[in-house]
DNA sequence: GAGGTGGCGACCGAG
DNA sequence: TCGCCACCTC
């Protein structure tokens, strides 16, 4: 489909080929071009296809210019995907289109009209690090008790206000006046720094639209059609922004799924999608309910669970596919057994021919991946962890970016402060304080104040010469920028400043990787014409380079899994307190519970073929063993779609080894003498399935064995009941024969 | 000013 | 249990 399809006069007959593959609701969603439209797209119902086809259809059938179209997503990934697929459909690359994330589009508008809100068009976009430092500085200045109000909490509050579209003088719902004053200070400080944080991008747009109706009207006229992805994740500010822009044409199409709204904690308002028909009267609502991803049992289990939520628009997914396997719900003794179980299920699936890349372990919180990582490492199963620090959040990238930011915008005090003593130049807090005081007195940026101070005798001689050199260096690098390409200048600057040398001398294992990252950063710069364009890219768009691990099991949080799919999905840790998360429930009560339930729904619906849920009776949490109860969500799963397994046999296994004898049955709580505290398994006691005990026997040299902690290995030496084993994925170790079992042929 | 140590708290994390 | 931050010493 490379050629542009011919426009059609009547959509009812003779559909153009790009529409012929859609099912009736999908077709309706693509063809409802006029007026407000809400497309409720359930998990796996072909949302992306509808979005991209709709875009293509608009361009073809309405013959509008791509520049009259606004298409908004949340992530760069989603924007990139849409870009690619639309290009494929209509045959042109969507360069310069208004297709991007809320933040990228808002930044574009803000650069055009920065002066309306008192910024220059080369304003800096701050990262979370800068924001926090700024808040800390202001708190020091105001003498706010950072015990009662940690800087992080204050920043979170400011962000919340911004998410709601509230400027300092418009904060609703009474915040402490001290804190609102701090918010006002913070905004004022950003202005003097010629900087904006992420929240400001949207917030300043709203201010511009309010102060300058002429500017708003121009955008309203420009955007004849608006398309929004993941509408259930929009916050109040984004909603207001969309509503203002849509007031002109009223042609706004929002696609989303209220059942997959899982970002309430960062300001998303599921109410936005629930209220759509009131907000946009006369709206057409279209439901996509045919699922092309999962089996009947998976959809049945997920559907039964999400039905327990009260606040939803309601839709029922169905599939033409077979029922498939029931969702496995497995009770386990403790988190160690759980990790072993996950490993076994992955190996079992591999034996059935499922590729590692088609399997995922999804957890509620990031720290939970650790135990599974250790297990997979032991078993030699390749895996990758999604999450962790992103490229531009790494220390070395932030440092390098700070150098570049000063080059671009000498008034960037935060950047200057960040690298003033990086690498170490002998400039401590005392010097920083002195510079700050001087800068405030002279009412100039830090760098300029520094430069002026070096011409006086106010500084200690050593400090003075250090700072003078630094100022001269920056002046030189900036001059260099006029005649030398910016990637080259960046390299020179990082070398001459001693920054590269700092990592070269660092002996820690990460140092080499950091130098690699710096090289990658400089390589990436070459793709941009100007330093300004590059800085904008890194602040808003820079993505983590995808890991090479093609054939690897994916470990990640449920949040990170939204939008993805796998053949086999493992969902461990379904225990009260963990999932649903106690902290969320404490903070937001029933609202949070419903969101946790949606999260469970998202987890189950990631699976194509098989979903397995695990819960344990005892878990090591922050280094302590704690008892746990099965998640209430387990009890909410419809019985018809699940298969319960409780691994009592695992105890027997341990018992057999400790006693050196076979496992003799009678598992009713008569556990004589073990160090176990008998855990309670209150939910499905009666349905317990016994797992067979592992065979133990005497081993010969050369025998293949399996050890729960160290994995597979070969017996090198037998010494009574002690074995010397050469482990495949660990060093050779001497272990008791009772702790290994004969490796099954794999 | 730089480098070391003990106490405390720990979720999810786009742009 | 682990990592970060505040505090402390050289």
């Amino acid at each position: 489909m490379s050629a542009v399809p011919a426009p059609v006069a009547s959509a009812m007959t003779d559909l153009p080929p790009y529409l012929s593959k859609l099912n009736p609701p999908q077709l309706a969603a693509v063809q409802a071009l006029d007026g407000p439209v809400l497309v409720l797209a359930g998990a796996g119902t072909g949302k992306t296809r509808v979005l991209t086809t709709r875009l293509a259809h608009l361009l073809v059938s309405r013959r509008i210019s791509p520049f009259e179209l606004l298409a908004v997503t949340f992530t760069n990934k989603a924007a990139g995907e849409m870009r690619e697929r639309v290009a494929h459909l209509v045959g042109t690359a969507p360069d310069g289109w208004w297709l991007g994330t809320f933040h990228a589009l808002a930044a574009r508008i803000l650069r055009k009209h920065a002066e309306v809100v008192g910024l220059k068009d080369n304003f800096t976009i701050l990262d979370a690090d800068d924001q926090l430092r700024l808040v800390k500085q202001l708190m020091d200045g105001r003498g706010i008790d950072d015990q009662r109000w940690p800087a992080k909490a204050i920043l979170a509050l400011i962000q919340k206000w911004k998410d709601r579209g509230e400027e300092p003088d418009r904060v609703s719902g009474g915040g402490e006046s001290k804190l609102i004053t701090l918010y006002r200070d913070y905004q004022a400080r950003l202005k003097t720094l010629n900087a904006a944080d992420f929240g400001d991008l949207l917030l300043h747009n709203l201010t511009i639209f309010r102060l300058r109706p002429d500017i708003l009207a121009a955008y309203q006229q420009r955007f004849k059609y608006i398309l929004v992805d993941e509408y259930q994740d929009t916050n109040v500010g984004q909603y207001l922004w969309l509503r203002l822009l849509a007031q002109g044409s009223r042609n706004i199409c929002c696609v989303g799924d209220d059942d997959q709204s899982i970002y309430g904690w960062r300001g998303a308002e599921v109410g936005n999608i629930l209220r759509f028909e009131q907000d946009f009267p006369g709206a057409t609502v279209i439901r996509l309910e045919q699922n092309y991803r999962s089996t009947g049992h998976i959809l049945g289990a997920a559907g039964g669970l999400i039905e327990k939520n009260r606040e939803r628009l309601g839709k029922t997914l169905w599939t033409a596919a077979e029922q498939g396997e029931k969702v496995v719900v497995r009770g386990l003794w403790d988190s160690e057994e759980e990790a072993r179980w996950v490993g076994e299920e992955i190996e079992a699936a591999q034996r059935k021919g499922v590729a590692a890349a088609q399997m995922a372990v999804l957890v509620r919180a990031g720290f939970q991946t650790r135990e599974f990582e250790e297990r997979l490492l032991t078993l030699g199963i390749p895996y990758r962890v999604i999450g962790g620090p992103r490229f531009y959040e790494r220390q070395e990238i932030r440092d390098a970016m700070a150098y570049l930011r000063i080059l671009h915008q000498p008034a960037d005090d935060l950047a200057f402060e960040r690298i003033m003593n990086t690498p170490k130049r002998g400039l401590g807090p005392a010097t920083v304080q002195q510079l700050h005081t001087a800068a405030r007195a002279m009412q100039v940026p830090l760098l300029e104040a520094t430069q002026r101070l070096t011409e006086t005798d106010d500084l200690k001689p050593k400090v003075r010469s250090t700072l003078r050199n630094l100022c001269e260096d920056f002046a030189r690098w900036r001059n260099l920028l006029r005649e030398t390409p910016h990637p080259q200048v960046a390299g020179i600057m990082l070398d001459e400043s001693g920054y590269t040398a700092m990592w070269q001398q660092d002996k820690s294992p990460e140092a080499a990787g950091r130098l690699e990252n710096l090289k990658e950063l400089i390589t990436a710069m070459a793709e941009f014409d100007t330093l300004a364009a590059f800085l904008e890219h890194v602040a808003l768009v820079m993505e983590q380079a995808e890991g090479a691990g093609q054939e690897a099991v994916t470990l990640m949080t449920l949040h990170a899994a939204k939008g993805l799919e796998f053949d086999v999905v493992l969902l461990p840790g379904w225990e009260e307190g963990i999932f649903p998360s106690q902290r969320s429930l404490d903070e937001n009560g029933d609202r949070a519970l419903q969101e946790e339930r949606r999260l469970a729904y998202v987890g189950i619906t990631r699976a194509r073929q098989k979903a397995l849920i695990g819960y344990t009776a005892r878990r090591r949490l922050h280094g302590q063993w704690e008892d746990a109860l099965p998640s209430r969500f387990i009890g909410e799963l419809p019985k018809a779609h699940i298969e319960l397994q409780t691994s009592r046999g695992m105890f027997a296994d341990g018992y057999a080894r400790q006693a050196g004898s076979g496992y003799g049955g009678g598992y009713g709580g008569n556990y004589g003498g073990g160090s176990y505290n008998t855990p309670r398994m209150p939910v499905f006691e009666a349905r317990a399935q016994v797992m067979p005990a592992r065979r133990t026997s005497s081993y010969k040299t050369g025998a293949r064995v399996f050890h729960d902690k160290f994995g597979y290995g070969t017996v090198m030496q037998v010494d009574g009941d002690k074995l010397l084993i050469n482990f495949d994925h660990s060093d050779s170790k001497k272990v008791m024969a009772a702790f290994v079992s004969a490796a099954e042929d794999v």
Side-chain angles (χ1 to χ4, degrees):
Chain A
M1 226 191 284
S2 54
V4 179
V8 280
S10 161
M12 297 307 286
T13 56
D14 269 345
L15 291 173
Y18 65 98
L19 293 181
S20 62
K21 284 180 189 153
L22 302 174
N23 69 30
Q26 286 175 337
L27 187 62
V30 167
Q31 291 185 315
L33 297 181
D34 298 311
V37 177
L38 176 64
V39 179
L40 284 172
T45 55
K47 181 191 75 168
T48 310
R49 162 175 276 186
V50 164
L51 270 169
T52 51
T53 310
R54 186 182 163 96
L55 264 181
H57 187 56
L58 265 173
L59 295 174
V60 171
S61 71
R62 291 290 158 101
R63 301 174 192 243
I64 59 162
S65 147
F67 303 100
E68 296 173 307
L69 213 139
L70 178 71
V72 200
T73 65
F74 271 85
T75 64
N76 292 305
K77 197 174 156 218
E81 249 170 56
M82 212 193 288
R83 197 169 278 275
E84 207 170 286
R85 290 178 66 160
V86 171
H88 186 248
L89 276 176
V90 303
T92 44
D95 273 341
W97 288 25
W98 288 85
L99 188 168
T101 63
F102 275 101
H103 290 93
L105 295 167
R108 193 162 154 190
I109 290 177
L110 183 55
R111 293 245 183 245
K112 282 210 171 80
H113 314 285
E115 78 290 345
V116 179
V117 289
L119 292 173
K120 288 184 271 176
D121 64 1
N122 69 340
F123 64 83
T124 306
I125 297 169
L126 298 187
D127 63 25
D129 230 38
D130 296 323
Q131 293 180 50
L132 200 62
R133 270 217 311 283
L134 201 52
V135 170
K136 278 182 181 158
Q137 283 174 17
L138 292 168
M139 285 171 65
D140 282 349
R142 289 249 163 206
I144 290 182
D145 182 8
D146 64 351
Q147 296 293 83
R148 198 158 87 84
W149 289 106
K152 269 191 184 156
I154 300 218
L155 189 58
L157 197 62
I158 291 177
Q159 245 150 27
K160 196 168 120 191
W161 283 326
K162 290 190 175 181
D163 283 345
R164 290 203 294 234
E166 296 171 350
E167 292 169 80
D169 51 355
R170 301 181 162 232
V171 168
S172 66
E176 240 177 88
S177 66
K178 226 180 176 176
L179 302 181
I180 296 176
T181 307
L182 197 74
Y183 180 22
R184 195 170 286 118
D185 287 354
Y186 175 83
Q187 290 304 82
R189 192 89 180 85
L190 286 180
K191 230 164 252 186
T192 56
L193 290 169
N194 190 29
D197 66 17
F198 282 110
D200 279 342
L201 298 177
L202 256 292
L203 192 66
H204 286 331
N205 268 232
L206 294 176
T207 309
I208 291 168
F209 293 158
R210 181 162 45 84
L211 296 178
R212 293 284 303 275
D214 55 316
I215 294 176
L216 174 61
Y219 283 108
Q220 285 174 338
Q221 278 187 346
R222 170 194 274 270
F223 299 130
K224 305 239 167 15
Y225 295 91
I226 298 176
L227 191 59
V228 187
D229 189 17
E230 305 279 17
Y231 187 63
Q232 78 282 353
D233 289 337
T234 51
N235 60 36
V236 173
Q238 288 157 343
Y239 159 74
L240 294 170
W241 188 82
L242 286 171
R243 204 179 59 173
L244 283 173
L245 289 173
Q247 259 163 14
S249 68
R250 290 201 2 106
N251 296 325
I252 180 168
C253 172
C254 295
V255 181
D257 180 0
D258 50 324
D259 291 335
Q260 294 188 68
S261 168
I262 56 175
Y263 284 110
W265 50 272
R266 66 177 192 215
E269 284 283 339
V270 68
N272 286 348
I273 194 167
L274 299 177
R275 261 193 351 258
F276 188 85
E277 288 174 272
Q278 286 98 285
D279 289 338
F280 299 94
T284 310
V285 179
I286 296 163
R287 283 178 165 76
L288 306 183
E289 297 179 299
Q290 181 174 4
N291 174 293
Y292 296 96
R293 177 188 297 159
S294 310
T295 64
H297 277 313
I298 290 168
L299 292 182
L305 181 68
I306 199 65
E307 254 176 40
K308 301 287 192 289
N309 268 6
R310 289 173 297 99
E311 288 157 332
R312 59 190 290 256
L313 294 168
K315 86 190 118 32
T316 308
L317 299 189
W318 60 278
T319 178
E322 55 192 26
Q323 282 292 81
E325 290 178 56
K326 288 187 176 181
V327 172
V328 170
V329 176
R330 175 69 174 266
L332 299 134
W333 281 111
D334 58 32
S335 40
E336 288 173 3
E337 192 198 4
E338 183 184 50
R340 288 196 295 273
W341 168 66
V342 163
E344 282 159 19
E345 291 291 347
I346 289 171
E347 289 182 323
Q350 279 183 319
R351 281 195 292 273
K352 283 187 192 159
V354 181
Q358 290 310 325
M359 293 189 247
V361 181
L362 307 182
V363 294
R364 176 62 178 82
F367 70 86
Q368 290 173 266
T369 60
R370 215 185 78 194
E371 51 194 331
F372 302 111
E373 282 186 68
E374 285 169 9
R375 188 66 197 154
L376 295 179
L377 214 53
T378 303
L379 296 175
I381 297 170
Y383 67 89
R384 61 190 174 135
V385 183
I386 308 288
R390 276 170 297 285
F391 186 72
Y392 60 87
E393 282 173 359
R394 289 158 198 249
Q395 189 191 337
E396 68 277 15
I397 299 303
R398 282 187 154 147
D399 289 340
M401 287 292 294
Y403 275 96
L404 293 169
R405 274 163 52 182
I406 300 164
L407 222 49
H408 177 61
Q409 219 233 118
D412 196 331
D413 289 4
L414 290 163
F416 183 61
E417 216 188 301
R418 180 179 180 107
I419 53 83
M420 196 187 291
N421 200 30
T422 311
K424 299 257 186 302
R425 298 186 175 96
L427 304 169
T431 309
V432 175
Q433 197 53 50
Q434 194 182 356
L435 295 177
H436 263 302
T437 313
R440 214 169 303 131
M442 297 185 231
Q443 302 216 346
V444 295
L446 209 53
L447 184 63
E448 195 180 332
T450 305
Q451 206 265 323
R452 289 195 205 173
L453 265 188
T454 58
E455 288 161 10
T456 70
D457 289 326
D458 293 340
L459 296 163
K460 279 187 257 173
K462 214 174 132 194
V463 170
R464 183 178 153 184
S465 76
T466 306
L467 284 172
R468 194 172 45 211
N469 287 339
L470 193 61
C471 290
E472 284 168 6
D473 283 344
F474 270 109
R476 192 174 67 251
W477 296 324
R478 195 167 301 121
N479 275 331
L480 205 56
L481 206 52
R482 288 195 210 131
E483 64 224 34
T484 315
H486 54 273
Q488 216 175 316
V489 176
I492 291 170
M493 178 168 66
L494 291 179
D495 285 341
E496 290 186 355
S497 63
Y499 190 75
T500 326
M502 178 181 101
W503 289 119
Q504 279 161 353
Q505 282 150 29
D506 190 303
K507 284 173 197 69
S508 67
E510 308 94 71
R514 294 188 194 273
L515 287 164
E516 281 299 307
N517 289 338
L518 289 171
K519 272 189 208 147
E520 201 175 317
L521 185 79
I522 290 174
T523 309
M525 289 179 78
E527 290 167 35
F528 295 85
D529 295 337
T530 63
L531 182 59
F534 174 72
L535 291 175
E536 175 106 342
H537 172 82
V538 177
L540 290 172
V541 184
M542 195 88 179
E543 297 265 13
Q544 167 104 289
E546 269 298 307
Q550 280 285 303
E551 259 317 307
V553 175
T554 305
L555 267 55
M556 63 180 150
T557 63
L558 287 159
H559 284 93
K562 196 172 79 159
L564 304 178
E565 56 182 79
F566 302 90
D567 286 343
V568 176
V569 170
L570 285 136
L571 301 157
W574 281 42
E575 290 130 45
E576 284 295 302
I578 303 254
F579 190 39
S581 144
Q582 192 56 48
R583 185 164 153 180
S584 294
L585 299 192
D586 289 347
E587 279 169 15
N588 280 313
D590 186 57
R591 244 177 86 108
L593 178 62
Q594 296 195 53
E595 182 156 316
E596 296 282 311
R597 196 177 278 115
R598 291 193 289 266
L599 202 49
Y601 175 79
V602 166
I604 297 171
T605 53
R606 297 311 94 197
R608 294 193 199 101
Q609 301 298 328
K610 191 168 183 182
L612 302 102
I613 293 166
Y615 67 94
T616 74
R618 276 175 80 68
R619 172 173 300 278
R620 199 141 85 170
L621 223 49
H622 312 315
Q624 302 260 73
W625 282 101
E626 307 215 354
D627 290 332
L629 294 174
S631 168
R632 69 192 77 186
F633 299 148
I634 289 175
E636 292 174 2
L637 294 168
K639 303 282 174 280
H641 297 292
I642 61 174
E643 177 192 337
L644 303 163
Q645 302 176 355
T646 307
S647 59
R648 305 299 294 273
M650 273 304 169
F651 169 74
D653 197 6
Y655 180 84
R657 286 194 221 157
Q658 279 175 16
S661 67
Y663 161 64
Y667 39 95
N670 179 20
Y671 298 139
S675 56
Y676 281 107
N677 266 340
T678 308
R680 293 191 170 277
M681 306 290 258
V683 174
F684 301 118
E685 193 90 37
R687 304 284 307 264
Q689 285 187 357
V690 177
M691 308 305 289
R694 227 178 242 138
R695 187 163 56 89
T696 55
S697 64
S698 53
Y699 301 97
K700 293 197 175 78
T701 306
R704 292 289 289 165
V705 293
F706 180 85
H707 185 281
D708 275 343
K709 187 145 179 246
F710 304 119
Y712 290 98
T714 308
V715 176
M716 305 308 286
Q717 199 182 309
V718 183
D719 173 18
D721 57 351
K722 294 188 203 73
L723 307 173
L724 177 68
I725 298 170
N726 194 2
F727 288 105
D728 298 353
H729 301 284
S730 188
D731 302 328
S732 306
K733 285 182 178 63
K734 260 200 171 164
V735 299
M736 301 288 287
F739 288 100
V740 300
S741 55
E744 288 133 50
D745 293 327
V746 180

